[in-house]
Amino acid sequence: MQSQHAAPRPASPSPDGPLVDVGQAEAALVEHYPRLVRLAYLMLPPKPGDRGRRVLTAHALVQRALPRGRTAAPAAPARPRRSAGGRAAHSARSGRRTDRTDRTERTDQADQAARAGRPVWAGDGDGDPGYALVRLQVVRTALRAGPSRRRGARRRRSGLPALPPPLPQVWGLRLFPRSGGAGELALEQRLSALSGPARAAWVLRGLERLSDDDVHAVLTDAGAADAAGALREADRVPAEYRLLGSPAFDPCALQARPPDLVRRRRRLKASLAAGAALVVCGALFGLPDDGWAPDGAAAPPYALNRSAQAALDPGKLTRVSPAAWKTSARTDFSVWPARGDLAGDTALLRRTLAVWARPGERVRVSATPGTPSGGPAGPPQLLYAGTVDNARVVVLHDGLRITRYAEPLDGTGGAALDFARVDGADRAGASALVLGRADGNVRYLTAPWVRSAGARDLREPGADTADLPLTGGVTPPVAGPALKSGSCASWNVLELTDGTGTRLVTDLGELVPAVLTAGRPGAAREAAGGEASRTWSPFACSLASMRSAGVRSVNAWAFAEQPLPDAGGTGPGSSLPGGGGGSASWVCTRAETWRGGGSRVQAQFRTPGGPSGVVAARAEDVPQCGEREPRVLAGVLWKSGAGTWYLLAAGSRGTTSVTATGGVEGTVRGNLLTLEAEQGARADLEGTLENGDRVSGLG
């Protein structure tokens, strides 16, 4: 049993009708072409602003209406039956009432239109079975091009888009009929509200002058699901058939206008670029196996220019002489030699370059803030290729970035690609790189000018330094900072010695360790000395807040000492034991990044005898505590041993007065402020400098 929602198959023409060959059908199509195109144009669903496409579709439907061979003509006649009895009989069979007066009025209006000199469409194809066959095919394809509401609803429910038929294209022109008046516009709006079969029924009545029986037969042969319902729906539109002869509905009398020329030019350029890309991609896919094919964890290849192709050739990698740094005016990564036991492994280097240019979906890619992760612009410099613990590691430098590629020894699954920005590196910043991390330990690759290396705990300034043997510039595993469950047990750093001195670098979770310095901004020195180490010792654990931020260097500056008002105080919000009186220390730490912006400043406060300092204020991207503005002002709430709360504030050297406003009010001369306060009070700080400038509190 056929589903009630499925459209019936198009009925075949009656086998009893006369046979029509292709030549006869073509003759009918050519003779009545304007009439057939107008018929198709009116049957297609009108859409605002789409008259040009509708015209082309109407012509396409008529031009494709020829049968493939000898075909029987349909039962519906080519000419209309003038008698109204046929429609009345069909109306009775379908169970609906027909107003004979209305039917006669519609027929009379059509006859009057013909006598008034407008096109007489009814008798053009009288008795021509070829015309009847071509007309049936036009109706059938018009119904398919504009699906009925029920079929359109099924397509929307199934999620399938409405596919337009293939159309003839006219390059450089927009073709559309002449504009009509208010009557034509109103009629087109009424027809657009009908379903496809109902619109076809109305047009066949008015344009072909067919009776309802003949319209029913044509719609059934064309595959309409409910021809009787289409006739009833068509009755809702007034019989204004006189308008069908209007030039607005003549797709053969067209106006030509140019399209959007600017948009066409853009589309042409985009098409040419896409075509060129396809040609290049096709050429790349046709290369032999040793070309730029997928390699290891790399993604499939894409179009590459010559520069990018050269960047992927391991034979063109830059390799610097081991003694180049001794005579070069530069001491940075550009003079590092190529080292490692796999520096001659061409296959490994090829995989590294391929993954760098197009990392696959399973490659873990990371980059420090502000570091681009795209492929190299030209052949990079090889710094290292070797075995590190359980991985093969390759380190490259392209003048802007350090790139580290790592893959397991047993394959390429789980490969990792890391980027770090290093432009503008100096001797200190280019003194070491991180090769790998495992089990809380770090392996470093040191610069060729490093003579010796050692490890020490930054929190223990008086402890001895453990010597580290260097093998090809690579250190043994060095314990990293010990951070467990929020506590800081130790902070191990790497101590490097070269011909210019000794410096400390620390691992902050990136490829390039950060250099530690101490002292007033503009006059800071390496943190390896005794006094500098003691400055860093209580504040070493604050470095944890600077991890993975692209930090280049961190400076610690002890900018003030402040006597405490009572003995045995406690710090802000935590139990910092007092030292039985004495003075608290104020230290400002400033982290500079490789990208220039994003600096992090912290003012830290430590009571005498306290194991570590606490952060009293912090800020980002501010000039305070740096070379551009070597001054700072910060404050903290502190509880003395007697239970009294104080607002303590300190400014750097050159501060002549400090003023507190808000929750605590007061002004003192000098750079130190001590005022009694309430627990939880908040105050704004402002200081005056010797030259009259003002400085605001940090944070």
Side-chain angles (χ1 to χ4, degrees), residues 101-113:
T101 302
D102 180 62
R103 182 175 66 250
T104 304
E105 179 182 354
R106 286 198 298 266
T107 305
D108 292 340
Q109 288 176 350
D111 292 338
Q112 293 171 7

Side-chain angles (χ1 to χ4, degrees), residues 621-633:
D621 285 325
V622 296
Q624 287 91 338
C625 199
E627 290 191 27
R628 288 181 176 270
E629 190 173 333
R631 57 190 181 183
V632 65
L633 172 64

Side-chain angles (χ1 to χ4, degrees), residues 37-58 61 138-149 151-152 156 162-165 167 187-200 203 249:
V37 174
R38 185 184 294 253
L39 186 71
Y41 180 80
L42 288 166
M43 287 184 182
L44 290 172
K47 295 181 181 179
D50 201 24
R51 299 172 66 202
R53 179 174 291 273
R54 187 175 162 202
V55 165
L56 295 179
T57 304
L61 297 183
V138 170
V139 174
R140 179 179 296 158
T141 53
L143 292 179
R144 292 175 182 173
S148 67
R149 291 179 179 176
R151 289 193 297 171
R156 287 192 295 271
L163 300 177
L167 303 176
L187 176 60
E188 193 166 57
Q189 291 176 346
R190 294 190 186 101
L191 292 179
S192 66
L194 298 178
S195 64
R199 186 167 49 252
V203 173
F249 301 130

Side-chain angles (χ1 to χ4, degrees), residues 328-564:
S328 173
R330 302 175 58 177
T331 50
D332 55 15
F333 294 108
S334 65
V335 293
W336 277 34
R339 289 172 285 182
D341 58 314
L342 299 178
D345 190 335
T346 303
L348 171 63
L349 299 178
R350 182 185 298 280
R351 287 196 302 273
T352 300
L353 294 170
V355 173
W356 185 357
R358 49 183 197 279
E361 294 182 355
R362 297 185 178 181
V363 177
R364 294 184 295 106
V365 180
S366 68
T368 59
T371 304
S373 58
Q381 174 188 354
L382 176 63
L383 303 185
Y384 180 86
T387 304
V388 180
D389 297 325
N390 295 319
R392 289 183 287 265
V393 176
V394 178
V395 181
L396 301 170
H397 176 233
D398 67 350
L400 173 67
R401 302 164 291 176
I402 292 292
T403 303
R404 180 184 64 185
Y405 170 77
E407 65 180 25
L409 293 177
D410 56 355
T412 59
L417 192 64
D418 303 309
F419 297 92
R421 184 171 174 176
V422 293
D423 53 316
D426 54 11
R427 187 183 187 95
S431 57
L433 290 174
V434 174
L435 286 181
R437 300 180 181 88
D439 301 326
N441 297 323
V442 186
R443 283 187 185 269
Y444 296 91
L445 175 65
T446 61
W449 51 83
V450 171
R451 298 178 180 178
S452 63
R456 54 180 292 187
D457 185 357
L458 191 59
R459 299 201 61 188
E460 300 291 338
D464 294 336
T465 301
D467 293 334
L468 299 174
L470 298 177
T471 305
V474 180
T475 68
V478 180
L483 300 174
K484 298 181 180 179
S485 64
S487 63
C488 179
S490 64
W491 195 276
N492 295 318
V493 296
L494 184 67
E495 185 177 278
L496 302 174
T497 302
D498 59 21
T500 62
T502 301
R503 58 183 54 91
L504 298 182
V505 297
T506 183
D507 175 29
L508 294 181
E510 299 172 345
L511 288 182
V512 184
V515 179
L516 300 181
T517 59
R520 182 179 177 83
R525 57 193 181 281
E526 305 296 343
E531 183 179 351
S533 296
R534 287 190 293 272
T535 299
W536 262 112
S537 176
F539 307 100
C541 293
S542 66
L543 291 167
S545 64
M546 304 173 186
R547 294 175 63 89
S548 303
V551 174
R552 176 176 185 169
S553 63
V554 187
N555 182 61
W557 172 33
F559 65 91
E561 291 283 335
Q562 184 169 21
L564 298 176

